[in-house]
Amino acid sequence: MVDVTRIRREVLTLPAAQLGPDNPLPPLRPLDEIHRVDDRERDDMPRDMARQLGYEPLHSLLPVRIRDGYGRTREPRALDALVIENDRLRATVLPGLGGRIASLVHLPTGRELLYRNPVFQPAAFALNGAWFSGGIEWNIGATGHTTLSCAPLHAARVPAPDGGEMLRLWEWERLRDLPFQVDLWLPEGSDFLLVGVRIRNPHERPVPTYWWSNIAVPEERRILAPAEQAWLPHCLEGVGGAPIGYERRLRRVPVPSYDGIDRSRPLDSPYAADYFYEVPDGRRRWIAALDADGHGLVQTSTDALCGRKLFVWGSGPGGRRWQQWLTEPGTGGYCEIQAGLARTQLEHVRLEPESEVSWLEAYGPLDTPAEGEWPAVVRSAEERLAAVLPRARVEEAHAVWKPYADTEPGESLATGSGWGALEVLRADWKLPGTPFAESTLGEAQAPWRELLRTGSLPEPRRVRPPGETLVAPHWRDMLETAPATPHTEYHLGVAQWHAGDRAQAVRSWERALPLAPSLWPLLRCLAVADQESGHHERAAERYAEAFDDLCHERRDDGEAWTAAVAALGREALEALLRARRAADARAVWDRLLPAVRRRGRFRLLEAELLLAEGRRADARAVLDTGFEVADLREGAEVIGRLWARLTDEPLPARLDFRMRPDTP
């Protein structure tokens, strides 16, 4: 029998798709603004909610890159896992995939408390692309699934308050430039996994902060929360980790039922929906998912983590298709119960200069009746939770944990990125408990370390696609004072674009063109600038020129060059088709590598190209072949729209990813 928390390494073998390389093109286009709420809607909202809805929403993914190199071919793959357990619970953590808790098993009963995905299948749900479903994920950064969804975190053993061990996960979140940590431990005899979370702002300026803990549970559950109202994005009723409201509205709806449907039962909702519960002030924060027999999972926390949410896919054909898309057909689906720093996921919270925010979460089994009238069922669940885990005990655990949050980690169990080490090296920050050692600096950080050391950005030693660009003000300042080589001007232009100085960015890229050994990265940036300013014909011309230059420069068919050809080829095809230059689009298509042309995204583009050439039957034949677009964006309707242009026949179920009713 395990008396105190133990941590061990394990290998989890799953049918898994490869993540593949990142997209080498800097994400210059602004994020979709569908998460905004019309100002007129804010009059009836609580004041803090109305204020936070407009507080510094994210406009750009820079400096992060898009992760779209994955496919849908799954083969058995070994994933590094860390297991933390006592005699009551066993949690399996994936440090290489965002620190996701893939499984939480109650040992006395053998019950899995989470939705455990039997496969690893990335899909385009994260802010930067690759994401996967299942377990408990830690979302930091901005509205949506974190860019760290499929990225490695640092992990180590740390002494726990009860004398056992904690598992610490930590990283540097790059969208907001904030370090964070997640400490997991199991006190002796505890039925609850305790999770201490801390986000620090080391800057001399306030920073917008975002956090949601997303917990996937089987959808054959009843979801309970201490609320009688919820905020509902309208009219799509939301989508997944990032709410989507096509009418830019938030409305209050009764809980659990409205429009004659009990929304506490995920499969009763016809379409995907987000319900942000309005938990009354002073009420304990918790949310539970229970099966018909009253067994399931409860999550509770200290009050700083104030928000609670339910996301459902619904019973409609689009929701069912997405459930199949994210796992193996024939396996059960999931819904998500969530907890966050604000009422809704459309809000960002102000974190003051040189300050921090922390809280404690608890995850464990709950046995209480799930059937019955809402007030009685919620009251019974709340009383049962108070009996097995009093609210005061959670507060005490937070207070006891806080001094241990600064404890330096012991044995390293996994290594994250080197970006935190670069920032610590630049600013000489002291961050007790979350060391970002210089030894973690790698190839991606090397040129920026050189810029920091010498004031010059080194030229690449060999011809290859450009590396990542750092865009924070301090790095932009260094680029502006560095020698103005074409390579530096390219990165400076990206940083200026991110800062909103688009005219100066264009001037930097244009200055670099005459002497640049590689023209295509600069031409592509200028093409995006043309598109954003409405000059689509000029953008198409520059894309064609950029793709031609890349094809001449490509050194081999290795992973890096193939990723560049695929990324630029896709954008060039889309731009040329938009400008109705089908012949030029065909020329780009013919120069793509055969392996790239076979990808689902490019089969879709091929159908659009054939339609543009007037070859309607051939375009329809492509759609009939049954290809899969691996990086289909959540909520995207591009396949359905193309189908409607080709035929009046009903959209086949295999192509139906619609997240809303056919009629508005």
Side-chain angles (χ1 to χ4, degrees):
M1 180 178 292
V2 181
D3 294 323
V4 294
T5 301
R6 290 184 182 173
I7 301 170
R8 69 174 189 274
R9 298 178 188 271
E10 194 170 274
V11 174
L12 187 64
T13 301
L14 295 176
Q18 293 290 339
L19 275 171
D22 289 354
N23 189 318
L25 306 181
L28 299 178
R29 292 180 178 83
L31 290 176
D32 201 328
E33 295 299 321
I34 53 179
H35 301 118
R36 296 290 188 85
V37 174
D38 193 304
D39 287 342
R40 293 169 295 180
E41 296 291 323
R42 301 182 188 184
D43 293 342
D44 297 328
M45 297 177 184
R47 293 179 64 182
D48 62 330
M49 179 177 170
R51 181 179 64 253
Q52 290 172 174
L53 283 170
Y55 179 52
E56 294 199 32
L58 191 70
H59 297 289
S60 169
L61 281 178
L62 288 166
V64 175
R65 284 187 164 178
I66 301 292
R67 308 204 73 175
D68 60 1
Y70 53 87
R72 291 190 56 80
T73 300
R74 296 191 288 267
E75 298 176 345
R77 177 181 163 200
L79 303 177
D80 290 332
L82 299 171
V83 175
I84 176 171
E85 66 179 325
N86 63 3
D87 58 326
R88 309 292 297 174
L89 285 176
R90 180 173 65 241
T92 303
V93 181
L94 303 177
L97 294 170
R100 182 80 59 99
I101 298 180
S103 169
L104 184 63
V105 176
H106 185 233
L107 297 174
T109 61
R111 286 200 292 264
E112 173 62 69
L113 301 180
L114 305 174
Y115 168 75
R116 181 171 184 170
N117 198 332
V119 305
F120 171 70
Q121 177 56 64
F125 282 39
L127 284 165
N128 63 331
W131 173 90
F132 65 106
S133 66
I136 304 172
E137 58 174 317
W138 318 113
N139 285 288
I140 182 174
T143 298
H145 290 284
T146 177
T147 61
L148 296 167
S149 291
C150 292
L153 303 190
H154 301 283
R157 300 178 193 268
V158 184
D162 65 347
E165 291 182 324
M166 289 192 296
L167 173 60
R168 175 163 299 161
L169 306 166
W170 74 98
E171 240 311 348
W172 192 274
E173 200 287 311
R174 300 179 66 201
L175 294 179
R176 303 298 196 182
D177 265 340
L178 296 176
F180 72 97
Q181 70 188 79
V182 179
D183 288 356
L184 303 95
W185 82 102
L186 287 162
E188 181 179 354
S190 174
D191 274 319
F192 285 85
L193 174 67
L194 302 184
V195 181
V197 183
R198 176 169 65 169
I199 305 172
R200 286 189 278 199
N201 176 14
H203 304 282
E204 297 178 347
R205 55 179 172 80
V207 176
T209 310
Y210 175 94
W211 183 280
W212 282 81
S213 300
N214 289 12
I215 309 125
V217 293
E219 61 186 351
E220 298 87 357
R221 296 290 185 269
R222 191 177 193 193
I223 309 304
L224 306 180
E228 296 181 355
Q229 292 183 318
W231 294 95
L232 175 68
H234 191 66
C235 67
L236 174 60
E237 302 182 273
V239 177
I244 295 178
Y246 284 91
E247 295 183 6
R248 299 189 177 189
R249 294 179 56 196
L250 272 175
R251 57 174 171 152
R252 274 196 180 104
V253 297
V255 171
S257 299
Y258 82 96
D259 286 350
I261 298 173
D262 183 350
R263 309 289 173 147
S264 69
R265 305 178 191 277
L267 284 171
D268 286 359
S269 290
Y271 297 99
D274 290 320
Y275 302 97
F276 297 102
Y277 295 111
E278 184 70 28
V279 180
D281 291 342
R283 194 85 176 261
R284 185 175 186 179
R285 264 57 184 172
W286 62 273
I287 190 167
L290 304 175
D291 64 20
D293 296 324
H295 305 307
L297 171 80
V298 65
Q299 186 271 0
T300 187
S301 71
T302 50
D303 289 351
L305 201 67
C306 61
R308 291 299 184 275
K309 173 193 163 183
L310 165 65
F311 164 72
V312 300
W313 282 107
S315 58
R320 295 300 90 199
R321 184 70 182 101
W322 277 112
Q323 292 272 31
Q324 298 167 5
W325 189 255
L326 296 171
T327 185
E328 289 280 10
T331 60
Y334 75 96
C335 63
E336 286 182 352
I337 56 176
Q338 305 180 12
L341 278 178
R343 283 182 175 85
T344 73
Q345 289 173 334
L346 290 80
E347 302 169 66
H348 297 93
V349 177
R350 179 184 173 105
L351 188 57
E352 297 298 336
E354 299 177 334
S355 69
E356 64 181 49
V357 60
S358 73
W359 62 90
L360 187 122
E361 304 181 49
Y363 297 82
L366 188 68
D367 298 294
T368 184
E371 302 303 321
E373 294 298 317
W374 182 259
V377 170
V378 170
R379 183 170 59 252
S380 176
E382 205 158 34
E383 291 171 353
R384 180 59 182 163
L385 176 60
V388 296
L389 185 65
R391 186 177 187 179
R393 192 185 303 168
V394 177
E395 300 287 349
E396 292 166 5
H398 181 224
V400 169
W401 164 74
K402 287 184 71 175
Y404 285 80
D406 282 346
T407 301
E408 291 304 311
E411 178 193 357
S412 175
L413 299 171
T415 303
S417 78
W419 296 113
L422 184 67
E423 293 299 331
V424 168
L425 187 64
R426 179 193 63 81
D428 194 29
W429 278 317
K430 308 302 179 187
L431 300 170
T434 54
F436 294 96
E438 281 194 52
S439 60
T440 62
L441 292 168
E443 183 179 2
Q445 294 82 39
W448 302 97
R449 185 182 190 182
E450 186 69 11
L451 174 64
L452 185 63
R453 189 178 67 84
T454 67
S456 298
L457 193 68
E459 291 294 309
R461 296 180 180 177
R462 55 189 172 90
V463 177
R464 58 182 175 179
E468 297 178 61
T469 303
L470 296 185
V471 296
H474 42 267
W475 293 107
R476 187 174 72 249
D477 290 345
M478 282 186 261
L479 288 170
E480 288 176 344
T481 58
T485 66
H487 184 60
T488 300
E489 293 278 24
Y490 162 79
H491 287 290
L492 175 58
V494 174
Q496 290 166 331
W497 182 271
H498 175 265
D501 192 350
R502 294 188 171 185
Q504 188 59 55
V506 168
R507 284 193 288 271
S508 294
W509 293 325
E510 288 177 339
R511 279 198 306 268
L513 274 174
L515 297 177
S518 296
L519 299 180
W520 66 267
L522 296 160
L523 291 169
R524 182 264 176 177
C525 290
L526 290 167
V528 174
D530 286 335
Q531 286 181 324
E532 291 298 308
S533 58
H535 298 296
H536 297 292
E537 182 64 33
R538 191 168 67 195
E541 186 66 35
R542 277 179 161 154
Y543 265 121
E545 187 180 351
F547 189 75
D548 182 68
D549 184 67
L550 172 58
C551 289
H552 282 105
E553 182 176 288
R554 189 181 77 222
R555 292 298 190 263
D556 54 48
D557 293 344
E559 184 178 81
W561 286 108
T562 298
V565 170
L568 186 58
R570 172 181 170 177
E571 290 188 9
L573 282 168
E574 292 170 344
L576 290 163
L577 288 173
R578 180 170 184 171
R580 299 185 179 182
R581 294 173 56 167
D584 292 326
R586 173 60 64 182
V588 169
W589 174 266
D590 289 342
R591 297 177 76 177
L592 291 172
L593 299 171
V596 171
R597 288 201 295 261
R598 289 193 294 268
R599 297 179 187 176
R601 173 62 65 178
F602 287 87
R603 298 304 311 279
L604 185 62
L605 283 170
E606 180 186 18
E608 293 182 0
L609 173 57
L610 290 166
L611 183 59
E613 293 172 330
R615 300 163 62 184
R616 182 178 296 269
D618 291 336
R620 169 65 188 269
V622 171
L623 288 188
D624 287 340
T625 59
F627 63 86
E628 293 182 318
V629 182
D631 61 335
L632 192 66
R633 192 71 183 170
E634 180 185 17
E637 299 181 359
V638 59
I639 297 178
R641 288 196 297 267
L642 178 59
W643 180 267
R645 291 167 61 195
L646 290 171
T647 177
D648 293 330
E649 297 175 21
L651 184 66
R654 63 180 176 82
L655 300 178
D656 191 352
F657 293 90
R658 293 171 295 183
M659 302 302 299
R660 54 177 171 170
D662 290 338
T663 56

